[in-house]
Amino acid sequence: MIGIQVGAVSFVDEGVEQVLDKFQQYAAVNTLFVATFTYGRGIAGRQVPGQPLPDHGKQEYDTGTFKGGSYTRVHPEYYKDTVIQDFRASDLGDFDVLESVIPAARKRGMKTICWFEDVWSPGVPNVAQAQERTLSGANSTNLCFNNPNYRNWLLGTVEDYARSHEIDGIMWGSERQGAFANMLGASHGGGGRNPDTVTCFCPHCEQKARARGINIDRARAGFKALGDFVTAARQSQRPVDGYHVTLWRIMLRYPEVLAWEMLWTDSLRETYAAIHAKVKSVKPAIGVGWHIWHNNSFSPIYRAEQDLSELGKYSDFLKMVMYHNCGGERMAGYIRAVGQTIYGDVPPQELLDFHYRVMDYKLEKPLAGLAQSGFTADYVYREAARARAALTGTATKLWPGIDIDIPTGRTSAKSTPAGTRDAVLAAFRAGSDGVILSRKWSEMRSANLKGAGEAIKQLGLA
Ligand SMILES: [Zn+2]
């Protein structure tokens, strides 16, 4: 399986046949991961403003015209059980990416997988009725898995895809985590987050917590204590017994904060299982799987939550994100974030060394210059081999996400043809069943996609 992620705008800007020609010629791509729904710029739209435009597509940014939403027609009969009904993207007029691409792809023997993600806009009509609630009681811009309006929207969407089009698969991604990990800033973008904005404390989640026997008042008191700890830590107010010990004291006093984290994680897993079951009930041949967030490579907490033997029960495939090039910059960001909370007493390089140890990375660079060097292909090998081993005994296919020109800071590492080639080789050497070239064609340079193609040729897969 040689897959590539591509958004609707690329087909509009460059022409469907022209894009497919390049995919086949450059990298022997046989599967399209078409962005069908998102309000984010990570997988839809042109190149992110401020990043250099690639050597193909319209040579201008879509700042101001990018809107997001559904890039395929919405069939209202599938959205009767949710108040979210008005989410068709308007930025490309009446263009329907699935209607336009699937026939052309089929003629070439290419498969099409609908690829959508958990990224919303607060401007969607009625969306407030599906949003998560923060610790302080405000609405979040994210939607709650336990809210029937969101659950039914997700199930309606996959049923719409499965019944309305001749698709081969559906992939959904949620790049989020629960209140405990978020409060500690335990992610690559997690530094500086206001502790009061963690989620979810909505009535649906509280009801589910009660059913599990979690004391809601104790959980709230625990998060209040944890929030005070984080706020003081970020101001370098070292607790008497230090940061790590004090965090343990809070967890021991209020185990409810961990129970709340697991409640969130289980709710995501139940959502996966429900989506999987819904699609299988419509058409068993459609593959269903998940994009697993890059934080899995940085945070031991998040990695612990990604129990692949558990996910394997309702995953035909997993896209485990292993973005090597931007991985260095992101790991550095993660270290900065948790260095201000959990590990306030640990010097940054020591903290990175500790993470290299516990995450089992061997050849990665020191903190100074890590963003400039990125991660190595050995990182991809280790992550893929670990995922492969963790999936033993399941039928789940392993399709690592490979970094091709994912935007990084101005002075940070940039993708190269050789780097991309080596990442693809490493993924297959570790026993992967395929690769997903990411994040989207509209930000990739042709030479770097050809680098992936070089690996595929070397492996005899072309
Ligand atoms: Zn909730």
Side-chain angles (χ1 to χ4, degrees), residues 131-133 144-147 200-206:
Q131 286 171 336
E132 288 190 327
R133 293 278 176 79
C144 175
F145 305 130
N146 292 321
N147 185 312
C200 181
F201 298 87
C202 82
H204 303 287
C205 288
E206 288 193 342

Side-chain angles (χ1 to χ4, degrees), residues 276-290:
H276 190 263
K278 169 62 81 178
V279 176
K280 296 296 166 179
S281 76
V282 174
K283 193 173 170 190
I286 295 176
V288 183
W290 326 107

